[in-house]
Amino acid sequence: PEAEPGDYVGFNIKNVAVKEIKRGFVASNSKDDPCKEAVDFEAQVIIMNHPGKISAGYTPVLDCHTSHIACKFTEIKQKIDKRTGKMLEENPKEIKTGDASLCILKPTKPMVVETFKQYAPLGRFAVRDMKQTVAVGVIKSVCKGESTGKSTKSAVKAAKAKKSLKQSMI
């Protein structure tokens, strides 16, 4: 049996208790492409159903894969056309229902996301506020922090080997 990105699978990990695993945790290939915490990310957001206007500083809950974490709209970079993707307005003050935009979002707690192109299930999200979905979005780019999760012994060994290989090439 083989699992693809987005499939739900059950498995056990040596030296990790079931009670240590929480909602929103992400398993990844720690040797080739370890997942890392997102410091912030740029996303294309389409406002579907918001009674007011959204401006920088708005902090709703984002539902991305299995995590539910509040994320702050730190900057609204562009208002764009939903169908063509062409820019309509640079640095708009606010966006409202029906608008599509490119925004910078910053999670308030550690959160793992990826670009929609690279890993689609980790690159799409719903924006929830007032017990309803007010917007949806796809992630265009991610500014990643340091890896804070656990690594297997073989992953640590592989990282050391990569580091020594780089140093020997210099």
Side-chain angles (χ1 to χ4, degrees), residues 70-82:
C71 292
K72 184 178 186 175
F73 279 69
T74 54
E75 182 186 346
I76 301 171
K77 291 175 85 173
Q78 299 175 346
K79 195 184 283 190
I80 57 176
D81 186 287
K82 271 196 284 204

Side-chain angles (χ1 to χ4, degrees), residues 157-170:
K157 200 184 282 183
K160 281 182 185 174
K162 252 187 201 175
K163 198 175 188 179
S164 65
L165 182 67
K166 279 182 185 175
Q167 286 176 345
S168 65
M169 293 172 103
I170 295 174

Side-chain angles (χ1 to χ4, degrees), residues 2-17:
E2 188 174 305
E4 297 292 322
D7 290 349
Y8 288 98
V9 295
F11 57 92
N12 293 320
I13 304 168
K14 283 184 202 168
N15 304 325
V16 179

Side-chain angles (χ1 to χ4, degrees), residues 50-102:
H50 194 277
K53 293 177 178 173
I54 293 171
S55 57
Y58 176 57
T59 311
V61 172
L62 254 68
D63 289 356
C64 184
H65 55 97
T66 60
S67 65
H68 307 290
I69 292 177
C71 292
K72 184 178 186 175
F73 279 69
T74 54
E75 182 186 346
I76 301 171
K77 291 175 85 173
Q78 299 175 346
K79 195 184 283 190
I80 57 176
D81 186 287
K82 271 196 284 204
R83 289 169 189 80
T84 63
K86 288 183 180 166
M87 185 187 65
L88 299 174
E89 188 182 340
E90 190 79 36
N91 297 318
K93 237 180 160 64
E94 53 200 22
I95 47 179
K96 59 187 185 318
T97 299
D99 287 346
S101 61
L102 280 175

Side-chain angles (χ1 to χ4, degrees), residues 90-122:
E90 190 79 36
N91 297 318
K93 237 180 160 64
E94 53 200 22
I95 47 179
K96 59 187 185 318
T97 299
D99 287 346
S101 61
L102 280 175
C103 304
I104 303 289
L105 289 100
K106 183 178 177 67
T108 56
K109 292 180 182 171
M111 180 180 188
V112 174
V113 294
E114 293 287 347
T115 61
F116 182 77
K117 259 187 183 155
Q118 200 174 14
Y119 298 104
L122 294 174

